[in-house]
Amino acid sequence: MRTGRLVRLVSRPAQRVPDPGDVELVEVDVRDPAHGEVLVRNLYMSIDPGALLRMSDLSALDIPHFETGEPLWSDAVGEVVESRYEGLAAGDLVWHRYGWRDYAVGDGRQFRRLDPHAYPSLSHHLSFGVVAYIGVELARIRPGDTVLVSSAAGGVGSIAGQIARLRGAGRVIGSVGSPEKVRFAVETLGYDAAFDYHDGIAPQIGGELDVYFDSVGGEHLEAAIDALRPRGRIVMCGQTEQVRSGVPTGPRNMLTVVGKRLSIQGFYTFDHPELMPKFEEEFTHWVRTGRIVVPETVVDGLENGVDAAVGQLTGRFTGKVVLRF
Ligand SMILES: NC(=O)c1ccc[n+]([C@@H]2O[C@H](COP(=O)([O-])OP(=O)(O)OC[C@H]3O[C@@H](n4cnc5c(N)ncnc54)[C@H](OP(=O)(O)O)[C@@H]3O)[C@@H](O)[C@H]2O)c1
């Protein structure tokens, strides 16, 4: 019998960040695949705010949460070890949602075969380029627009700024959490300007925004509402400030949204399957031709997964965070 490790939820964390004992890494038997199933050895998995959000019971999110006693899950890529599903064969590389475990066994239809040559790295299949792409599509960028992106050096933000530029934005501004990330945003990601939000947000944004790509909410959102032009657009990808602090936050200036006729669009990536074919085509082309860089931080070892998820939320890393098994 094959054995492998997995991470499971023992109890829901009282805060957003799990205490030792809320999750455990255990060694378990790995069953053989039944008819129609595959057995996959995981190679990379996504480390993203979803893990901490799914541990919590935030009902406003309208997403499935982890169950206590059950393994965590997340986007992952791996190699088929054994297949009893006619659509896949041993050696195929696949994308699926059974992260947080060394081996995944399940219905073959839940595993999508990957083109190993699509991107320079297999881990790029876990990029949040798709989130950025959909958010920028919904923002309806017009040539010359001034666009603000928060968490601009993060998994979503590092790509959102680059796509906004490719869609014709005239000026792209990034908000980040350290001087090193300011340099990274400008020099590597091509932001026209970037600032460290710890030095104040509103004065550094300036005025005259057309679009705000929001990953953090709170103080950033309030400042952006003041800085947006009439009929400006906000696409709301996440609310990290509130998630991190656990405290509901502003903005206090919602009347300005009415006065300026602003639009605010929250979105989930999985609600937009109609955009996927165009995304696949354009994004792989941009990455292959060097028009977009896909920054990532690779953390090694499933035993470091929970610590990496906490570090990801608190700004310890740059770009998309992936765990290598
Ligand atoms: N809607 C969807 O379908 C979808 C899909 C995936 C992710 N999301 C959301 O998109 C957002 C970004 O996800 P991601 O994986 O790319 O995460 P990320 O931006 O790479 O990581 C979170 C980052 O937020 C920054 N941060 C933490 N606290 C902050 C605060 N109080 N104010 C401003 N920035 C703060 C930190 O970077 P600094 O060093 O810059 O502080 C941290 O690295 C998250 O809110 C996530 O939940 C949405």
Side-chain angles (χ1 to χ4, degrees), residues 46-50 53 61 128 131 150-158 175-178 181 197-198 201 213-217 220 236-244 266-270 311-321:
S46 173
I47 296 286
D48 56 71
L53 293 172
L61 280 167
F128 273 173
V131 187
S150 54
S151 199
V156 176
S158 62
S175 166
V176 293
S178 69
K181 288 186 182 180
Y197 61 81
H198 295 104
I201 301 168
F213 191 112
D214 186 23
S215 281
V216 303
H220 277 84
M236 197 169 284
C237 179
Q239 295 282 289
T240 301
E241 184 179 310
Q242 180 175 335
V243 167
R244 188 171 162 183
F267 72 96
Y268 276 129
T269 308
F270 50 73
Q312 198 266 341
L313 189 71
T314 52
R316 211 190 298 159
F317 308 117
T318 301
K320 179 77 188 81
V321 185

